[in-house]
């Protein structure tokens, strides 16, 4: 079995992407001296270096990489060594221009950026396998090597190509998936608009058409594009496993829903030896630390609950958004330790030394343009010491209270054209439900809709437009066995082919929810509906409403106005030993909190009370003990009740009774016992 932890790494991972090729060798000695000063334990090397490693076809220059790996090893720094297959050299494209991807409109993209790859192209696959083999043969047993890093951020910026090579590959994929063209016709419903195919040779990618194309075809092409990238990853991984046995292989994910929407990370999580993730704050007016927590929880869940590694984030501002603010003092540590609290075995950055040239020269780094006499550098050194003090928690796991169901393929399907309302967005609902759970101080695991949910007393479904029959049966069994389920609107509607389930909505979920939906009633922009319920509590919804007919469910909240006035807005269905809640409008945060508090009561969950908003409290536990993280994102000092005393690891102080957490600070207590 492949290793699942970086080889030779005995502390938490701390460091970043190191690109020594951007600098004269005279800088390298200064780099490793500063790395030791900061407490760096691992760096990523070689990710974008194909053109330097193979400057001409079949001509290799490994001398510079030999020297930098030797220098890092001599200074006790482990290496995450990249295969540089995200950026083929210009000579490759001159020889194989067809390896550049084509858009749905038929435009072939040009060389000069990164990730410009047709993943179906045979010449690209051959060249990628060749450079990976050369690297593995040379460095597979290098003493500095901790793990292999294949490619970079699959799916960003290009996941799908629409060229003739992809068309041929897509036909082969369809034949392997469906067996016959008749099965494809049935799955896609090609009787509509006369789209029936007589043979696989008739089928092309979903290129630009006069109006909306076939949604089943579009959904399958997203699956195909994702599977094709995964094929290429597996090809490189298998070479590395064969030539570098015992060294784990990874590729850096981008699980945040704000950053990548083209990759099914449930499938990818099964392919890597170690799950790693890149995360960057999106400055869209949201509470960025909530998005961070959500991405970390999602990454941990993709890893099956096992520890993972934050392979990239930023020391301060990034450079690719319209506005890129700096991080506030202390925010770097809060961000980094927030990921660690939720399962990461360290915190790494893009990148070590800030570039002077190129597209990312204004992206913050561990060593900024201003050098070591800067706030960022001082905070980097402080963070290195903090992470060193937490090395004892390696191997422990984050404890969760509740599960949220998420399915990337359902998201793809809901985002296809001609849905009842463009305002009803799966990502928005996932963000909103997560934020409400975060504000109840409940830690979240994410789960696939067909996964075993028995360990979670409460399961929340913010958006599951595509719901397989298997998922519907899974949720029914979960509730019958005593679980509490909360489902949001426009879920259970279609099967895996984007075909509406037979019978009334919500299709695969109508039995577990004990109701039917006669009709959707989307609201116009700016419209809202009042919802009245228990004890005179009034809520507000927007974007969406439905004509709900209870079939065993009880009405808890009712529409008070609008077209659906008098109809159920929120229901609760007792089924077996459990209960299933359904909300048929888009509730705001107050409404979601009211709903989830009642569902938590059903689940016999007790949300943590008495804690201020934006104070995170998360636990990790394992063979080395239990650890409580308290992260204060507020501007006021706070105190956290401790049921068990312990030692605060960042200060070395004894902690008991109530743990003081200063404004903007982090405290980590190793609990006694």
């Amino acid at each position: 079995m492949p290793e699942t932890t970086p080889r030779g790494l005995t502390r938490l991972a701390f460091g970043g992407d190191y690109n020594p090729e951007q600098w004269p060798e005279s800088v390298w000695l200064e780099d490793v001296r500063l790395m030791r000063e900061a407490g760096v334990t691992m760096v990523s090397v070689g990710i974008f270096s194909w053109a330097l490693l193979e400057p001409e076809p079949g001509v290799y220059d490994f001398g510079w990489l030999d020297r930098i790996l030797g220098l890092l090893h001599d200074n006790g720094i482990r290496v995450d060594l990249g295969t540089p297959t995200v950026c083929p050299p210009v000579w490759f494209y001159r020889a194989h221009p067809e390896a550049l991807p084509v858009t749905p409109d038929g435009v072939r993209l040009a060389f000069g950026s990164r990730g410009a790859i047709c993943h179906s192209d045979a010449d690209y696959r051959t060249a990628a396998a060749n450079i990976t083999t050369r690297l593995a043969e040379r460095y597979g047993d290098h003493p500095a090597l901790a793990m292999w890093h294949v490619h970079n951020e699959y799916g960003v910026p290009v996941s799908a190509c629409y060229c003739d090579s992809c068309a041929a590959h897509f036909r082969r994929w369809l034949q392997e998936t469906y067996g016959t063209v008749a099965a494809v016709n049935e799955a896609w419903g090609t009787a509509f608009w006369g789209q029936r195919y007589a043979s696989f040779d008739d089928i092309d990618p979903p290129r630009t058409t006069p109006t909306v194309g076939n949604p089943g075809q579009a959904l399958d092409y997203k699956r195909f594009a994702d599977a094709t990238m995964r094929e290429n990853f597996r090809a490189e991984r298998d070479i590395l496993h064969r030539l570098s046995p015992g060294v784990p292989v990874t590729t850096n994910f981008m699980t945040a829903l704000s950053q990548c929407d083209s990759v099914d990370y449930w499938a990818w999580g099964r392919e890597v030896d170690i799950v790693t993730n890149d995360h960057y704050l999106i400055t869209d007016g949201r509470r960025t630390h909530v998005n961070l927590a959500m991405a970390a929880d999602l990454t941990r869940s993709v890893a099956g609950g096992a520890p993972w590694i934050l392979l990239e984030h930023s020391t301060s501002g990034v450079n690719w958004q319209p506005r890129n603010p700096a991080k506030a003092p202390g925010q770097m540590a809060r961000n980094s330790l927030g990921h660690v609290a939720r399962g990461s075995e360290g915190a790494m950055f893009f990148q070590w030394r800030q570039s002077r040239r190129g597209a990312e020269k204004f992206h913050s780094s561990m060593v900024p343009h201003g050098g070591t006499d800067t706030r960022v550098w001082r905070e980097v050194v402080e963070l290195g010491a903090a992470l060193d003090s937490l090395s004892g928690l390696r191997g422990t796991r984050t404890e969760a209270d509740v599960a949220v169901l998420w399915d990337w393929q359902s998201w793809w399907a809901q985002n296809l054209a001609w849905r009842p309302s463009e305002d009803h967005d799966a990502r928005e609902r996932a963000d909103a439900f997560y934020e409400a759970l975060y504000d109840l101080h409940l830690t979240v695991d994410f789960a696939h809709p067909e996964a075993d949910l028995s360990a979670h007393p409460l399961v929340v479904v913010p958006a599951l437009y595509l719901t397989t029959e298997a998922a519907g049966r899974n949720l029914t069994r979960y509730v019958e066995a005593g679980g509490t389920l909360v489902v949001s609107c426009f879920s259970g509607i279609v099967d895996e082919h984007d075909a509406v389930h037979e019978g009334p909505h919500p299709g695969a979920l109508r039995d577990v929810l004990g109701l039917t939906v006669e009709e959707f009633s989307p609201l116009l922009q700016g419209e809202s509906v009042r919802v009245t319920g228990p004890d005179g509590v009034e809520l507000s919804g927007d974007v969406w409403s439905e004509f709900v007919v209870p079939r065993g469910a009880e009405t808890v909240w009712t529409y008070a106005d609008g077209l659906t006035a008098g109809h159920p807005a929120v229901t609760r269905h007792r089924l077996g030993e459990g209960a299933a809640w359904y909300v048929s409008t888009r509730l705001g945060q107050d409404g979601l909190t009211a709903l989830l508090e009642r569902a938590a009561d059903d689940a016999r969950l007790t949300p943590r009370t008495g804690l201020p908003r934006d104070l995170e409290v998360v636990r990790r536990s394992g063979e080395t003990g239990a650890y409580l993280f308290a992260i204060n994102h507020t501007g006021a000092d706070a105190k956290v009740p401790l049921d068990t005393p312990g030692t605060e690891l960042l200060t070395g102080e004894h902690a008991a009774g109530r743990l003081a957490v200063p404004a903007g600070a982090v405290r980590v207590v190793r609990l006694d016992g």
Side-chain angles (χ1 to χ4, degrees), residues 545-561:
S545 65
E546 296 174 347
F547 290 93
V548 173
V549 179
R551 311 283 185 182
E554 61 178 297
T555 299
V556 183
W557 273 281
T558 303
Y559 289 108
D561 57 12

Side-chain angles (χ1 to χ4, degrees), residues 356-378:
R356 292 184 56 229
R357 299 174 177 85
E360 294 185 287
K361 57 182 170 287
F362 296 117
H363 190 295
S364 62
S365 299
M366 298 175 77
V367 182
H369 290 144
T372 57
D373 189 18
T374 57
R375 174 178 66 88
V376 165
W377 173 253
R378 288 187 286 272

Side-chain angles (χ1 to χ4, degrees), residues 405-416:
L405 297 195
W406 180 255
D407 181 17
W408 276 274
Q409 296 193 24
S410 177
W411 191 20
W412 298 344
Q414 187 172 333
N415 281 347
L416 296 174

Side-chain angles (χ1 to χ4, degrees), residues 286-562:
R286 302 175 192 229
R287 297 153 71 199
T288 55
H289 54 278
V290 179
N291 175 275
L292 183 155
M294 182 177 177
D297 284 342
L298 191 48
T299 306
R300 182 187 70 252
S301 301
V302 166
W308 54 280
I309 297 176
L310 174 66
L311 211 53
E312 287 185 27
H313 72 312
S314 65
T315 57
S316 193
V318 297
N319 73 311
W320 36 263
Q321 298 180 93
R323 287 156 291 280
N324 298 286
K327 290 185 178 180
Q331 189 177 359
M332 181 203 305
R334 291 197 302 277
N335 289 169
S336 300
L337 297 177
H339 286 287
V340 174
R342 295 174 187 272
S344 177
E345 298 279 69
M348 297 181 65
F349 296 91
F350 181 86
Q351 59 180 323
W352 164 252
R353 185 180 284 274
Q354 194 167 14
S355 300
R356 292 184 56 229
R357 299 174 177 85
E360 294 185 287
K361 57 182 170 287
F362 296 117
H363 190 295
S364 62
S365 299
M366 298 175 77
V367 182
H369 290 144
T372 57
D373 189 18
T374 57
R375 174 178 66 88
V376 165
W377 173 253
R378 288 187 286 272
E379 291 193 16
V380 163
V381 174
E382 291 171 2
L383 177 60
L387 288 169
D388 189 54
S389 70
L390 302 181
S391 291
L393 59 73
R394 293 173 71 240
T396 61
R397 296 192 173 207
T398 300
E399 299 176 5
D401 305 296
V402 56
V404 170
L405 297 195
W406 180 255
D407 181 17
W408 276 274
Q409 296 193 24
S410 177
W411 191 20
W412 298 344
Q414 187 172 333
N415 281 347
L416 296 174
W418 286 11
R419 297 303 184 241
S421 173
E422 67 177 16
D423 297 324
H424 185 45
D425 178 66
R427 178 200 157 190
E428 184 280 329
R429 284 292 79 189
D431 286 344
F433 272 88
Y434 184 91
E435 187 169 0
L437 292 166
Y438 180 98
D439 286 343
L440 290 171
H441 300 283
L442 295 172
T443 303
V444 170
D445 274 341
F446 285 85
H448 187 274
E450 296 179 16
D452 179 9
L453 304 171
S454 58
H456 298 92
L458 175 61
V459 170
V460 176
V461 184
L464 197 61
Y465 162 76
L466 187 159
T467 308
T468 63
E469 293 285 356
R473 291 191 296 270
N474 187 44
L475 294 178
T476 299
R477 288 193 300 268
Y478 167 76
V479 175
E480 288 176 336
T484 300
L485 177 69
V486 178
V487 178
S488 187
C489 52
F490 204 45
S491 294
I493 307 304
V494 300
D495 66 11
E496 60 270 32
H497 304 299
D498 198 46
V500 173
H501 287 287
E502 289 189 16
H505 303 312
L509 299 179
R510 60 177 171 257
D511 292 338
V512 69
L513 296 175
L515 54 82
T516 58
V517 175
E518 288 190 351
E519 189 177 6
F520 308 130
S521 185
L523 304 179
L524 298 179
Q525 192 169 25
E527 285 187 335
S528 63
V529 289
R530 290 188 302 113
V531 177
T532 58
D535 304 321
V537 175
E538 184 172 298
L539 309 177
S540 177
D542 65 2
V543 170
W544 193 268
S545 65
E546 296 174 347
F547 290 93
V548 173
V549 179
R551 311 283 185 182
E554 61 178 297
T555 299
V556 183
W557 273 281
T558 303
Y559 289 108
D561 57 12

Side-chain angles (χ1 to χ4, degrees), residues 611 617-619 626-630 639-648 653-661 667-672:
L611 296 176
V617 178
V618 183
R619 286 173 57 109
Y627 301 81
L628 183 141
F629 285 74
K639 292 189 176 181
V640 175
L642 287 179
D643 295 332
T644 305
T647 301
E648 203 291 303
E653 297 175 354
H654 179 69
R658 292 175 66 81
L659 173 68
V661 188
R667 293 292 180 261
V668 185
V669 179
R670 187 187 188 283
L671 302 172
D672 294 340

Side-chain angles (χ1 to χ4, degrees), residues 2-7 80-83 132 136 145-151 154 232-253 268-276 311:
E3 289 294 323
T4 58
T5 57
R7 189 182 67 163
D80 166 42
L81 185 56
T83 67
T132 299
L145 183 63
M147 60 184 189
W148 288 100
H149 177 137
V150 170
H151 203 266
Y154 279 98
N232 287 355
F233 168 77
R234 282 196 298 266
E236 293 189 45
R237 179 202 64 191
D238 292 350
I239 292 169
L240 297 170
H241 279 169
R242 176 170 55 86
L243 297 176
S244 184
V247 180
V249 180
T250 190
T251 185
N252 45 337
F253 295 168
W268 282 81
R270 297 188 291 268
E271 302 291 353
V272 297
D273 300 329
I274 304 172
V275 167
T276 64
L311 211 53

Side-chain angles (χ1 to χ4, degrees), residues 51-96:
L52 295 178
L53 294 169
E54 190 178 3
E56 300 176 40
V59 176
Y60 300 96
D61 179 6
F62 294 112
W64 69 272
L65 189 54
D66 290 346
R67 294 191 294 278
I68 197 63
L69 293 187
L71 184 60
L72 292 167
H73 175 65
D74 290 344
N75 284 271
I77 299 165
R78 309 298 295 162
V79 173
D80 166 42
L81 185 56
T83 67
T85 51
V86 69
C87 283
V90 67
W91 60 255
F92 171 80
Y93 288 117
R94 292 284 181 263
H96 307 288

Side-chain angles (χ1 to χ4, degrees), residues 157-343:
V158 177
S159 59
C161 170
Y162 297 81
C163 71
D164 290 341
S165 293
C166 288
H169 192 184
F170 184 44
R171 294 173 195 127
R172 294 193 298 272
W173 182 86
L174 289 171
Q175 191 159 12
E176 292 168 1
T177 302
Y178 289 100
T180 66
V181 73
V184 174
N185 283 318
E186 175 64 21
W188 292 359
T190 56
F192 185 79
W193 281 357
Q195 297 170 346
R196 188 173 298 277
Y197 297 103
S199 75
F200 285 105
D201 291 339
D202 294 335
I203 301 174
D204 283 325
R207 295 167 174 150
T208 301
T209 51
T211 185
V212 174
N214 187 295
Q217 178 191 24
L219 179 57
D220 265 346
Y221 204 75
K222 290 180 179 291
R223 292 175 172 134
F224 159 75
D226 181 52
T228 302
M229 292 188 292
R230 212 157 52 244
E231 284 179 20
N232 287 355
F233 168 77
R234 282 196 298 266
E236 293 189 45
R237 179 202 64 191
D238 292 350
I239 292 169
L240 297 170
H241 279 169
R242 176 170 55 86
L243 297 176
S244 184
V247 180
V249 180
T250 190
T251 185
N252 45 337
F253 295 168
M254 297 191 76
T255 62
L257 306 186
S258 54
Q259 292 177 215
C260 183
D261 63 359
S262 60
V263 174
D264 181 353
Y265 285 115
W266 294 124
W268 282 81
R270 297 188 291 268
E271 302 291 353
V272 297
D273 300 329
I274 304 172
V275 167
T276 64
N277 196 51
D278 298 351
H279 181 264
Y280 293 99
L281 302 183
I282 304 298
T283 53
D284 59 358
R286 302 175 192 229
R287 297 153 71 199
T288 55
H289 54 278
V290 179
N291 175 275
L292 183 155
M294 182 177 177
D297 284 342
L298 191 48
T299 306
R300 182 187 70 252
S301 301
V302 166
W308 54 280
I309 297 176
L310 174 66
L311 211 53
E312 287 185 27
H313 72 312
S314 65
T315 57
S316 193
V318 297
N319 73 311
W320 36 263
Q321 298 180 93
R323 287 156 291 280
N324 298 286
K327 290 185 178 180
Q331 189 177 359
M332 181 203 305
R334 291 197 302 277
N335 289 169
S336 300
L337 297 177
H339 286 287
V340 174
R342 295 174 187 272

